[in-house]
Amino acid sequence: MSDTISDTCPPTFGFRVEAESEAVPEARRKIVALVRGWDVPLPDDAFGDLELLSTELITNAVRYTRASCAVAVRWTGVRVRVEVTDVSPARPHRRHGSLEAEGGRGLLLVESLATTWGSTPDPAGKVVWFELGPSGGTPPPRSTPGKWTITTDSGSATSGYLPAWAEDDPTEAGVPMDQLPERLAGINHRNFFEGPMLPLTAPDVWEGVEEDAVFEGSVDCNPYDPDPGLRVPVVNLQVCVGRWILGLDPLGVAEIAAKLRAHADFLDEKVRPALIAAREDWVAHQPA
């Protein structure tokens, strides 16, 4: 992505970090230099935190996946936001009073220094992000309803509708003409929503039982997708970590909702009474 900053949209920049030892320090320096160059109202002492937090997220991404990751840096109008996307669906989990990512050194540093931070599922794996800036108030949305425009280095412009609910604006300037098809293919209007937290276990990812969300997901629209059914908004549901139900149209969402309601009723009206009866029977026949 180009680091050209438009007067009509907040600064944003993205780049890829290879899984090499020297790549992390280079990425850290690039992020700090980029934000300083934007001349945003971030306190001087926050740049040290920016460096430390960026290092932590990028190191975790490349160390535990042994693959490259994608970094996006944004100015929301209130805070600096750094997003790191890697290929692993395993999201950071709290264990034994600490925060760990794929068994790594932990993300307690992120929790203590960042204004806010979190993670979201992504078709590529996951996104882990943090923000630095004022803790009061709510940052404005990072996209503006109406229109996105990608301008090439030859001056030609391609535009499209930008939904009000989209979390990102693909607007970009100075794109090499031969990279335009790739940029268009990568446009994904997205808005995440949360799911209920349930106790899950995944022996191949973490030990023991962890509280995690199920049936969380996102509203997605890929206007240049080869599949016409994905060029309109659909819902993608992650059943649990790394497991998704994809490409739902409105009827599909209704069908899933009906099944969840039916399953909830089944658990409450059938399974729960049977469990109570079984426990009472056990106590009656197997004294402590």
Side-chain angles (χ1 to χ4, degrees):
M1 297 175 65
S2 169
D3 59 350
T4 301
I5 299 174
S6 168
D7 293 335
T8 60
C9 65
T12 181
F13 182 70
F15 61 95
R16 183 162 292 277
V17 179
E18 300 300 326
E20 302 171 353
S21 58
E22 65 273 13
V24 175
E26 181 181 349
R28 174 184 66 220
R29 290 191 293 269
K30 180 181 292 188
I31 292 170
V32 173
L34 180 73
V35 175
R36 285 192 181 278
W38 285 344
D39 196 28
V40 298
L42 194 66
D44 286 340
D45 57 0
F47 284 94
D49 295 342
L50 176 64
E51 184 174 358
L52 288 173
L53 295 173
S54 299
T55 300
E56 179 67 24
L57 263 61
I58 298 171
T59 298
N60 280 342
V62 299
R63 176 182 293 170
Y64 300 112
T65 66
R66 297 183 180 179
S68 62
C69 65
V71 177
V73 187
R74 314 178 194 281
W75 171 247
T76 70
V78 176
R79 299 174 184 164
V80 170
R81 179 182 176 97
V82 176
E83 303 170 356
V84 178
T85 303
D86 65 47
V87 298
S88 170
R91 293 163 62 188
H93 290 276
R94 180 177 290 279
R95 298 194 185 112
H96 309 301
S98 66
L99 287 164
E100 298 180 356
E102 291 99 4
R105 73 176 219 186
L107 291 174
L108 284 174
L109 180 68
V110 179
E111 185 175 61
S112 63
L113 295 181
T115 304
T116 183
W117 79 281
S119 65
T120 54
D122 186 88
K126 69 172 175 299
V127 179
V128 183
W129 57 270
F130 70 84
E131 293 183 355
L132 285 174
S135 58
T138 301
R142 295 185 298 282
S143 60
T144 302
K147 184 174 77 171
W148 57 263
T149 301
I150 295 179
T151 306
T152 68
D153 52 6
S154 65
S156 64
T158 303
S159 299
Y161 173 60
L162 182 63
W165 47 265
E167 294 187 350
D168 288 306
D169 185 343
T171 293
E172 191 175 355
V175 174
M177 178 62 75
D178 60 351
Q179 295 182 18
L180 179 60
E182 178 184 353
R183 293 293 200 276
L184 295 177
I187 292 177
N188 179 24
H189 302 311
R190 170 174 295 167
N191 188 280
F192 286 102
F193 54 85
E194 297 180 350
M197 298 293 292
L198 295 177
L200 304 177
T201 183
D204 57 334
V205 180
W206 68 79
E207 296 179 359
V209 176
E210 300 288 348
E211 286 285 328
D212 207 342
V214 299
F215 287 103
E216 65 182 359
S218 56
V219 178
D220 290 271
C221 180
N222 301 76
Y224 291 88
D225 196 280
D227 182 354
L230 300 180
R231 296 175 197 166
V232 295
V234 298
V235 162
N236 293 321
L237 283 178
Q238 182 177 225
V239 178
C240 56
V241 175
R243 295 161 178 84
W244 288 77
I245 298 174
L246 302 175
L248 294 173
D249 59 16
L251 178 60
V253 174
E255 291 175 347
I256 291 295
K259 290 178 180 179
L260 288 174
R261 281 192 291 267
H263 190 61
D265 291 341
F266 173 76
L267 291 173
D268 196 37
E269 299 171 7
K270 300 293 185 180
V271 176
R272 182 172 177 273
L275 175 62
I276 292 174
R279 288 164 66 94
E280 290 174 347
D281 178 72
W282 179 262
V283 170
H285 293 86
Q286 184 69 30

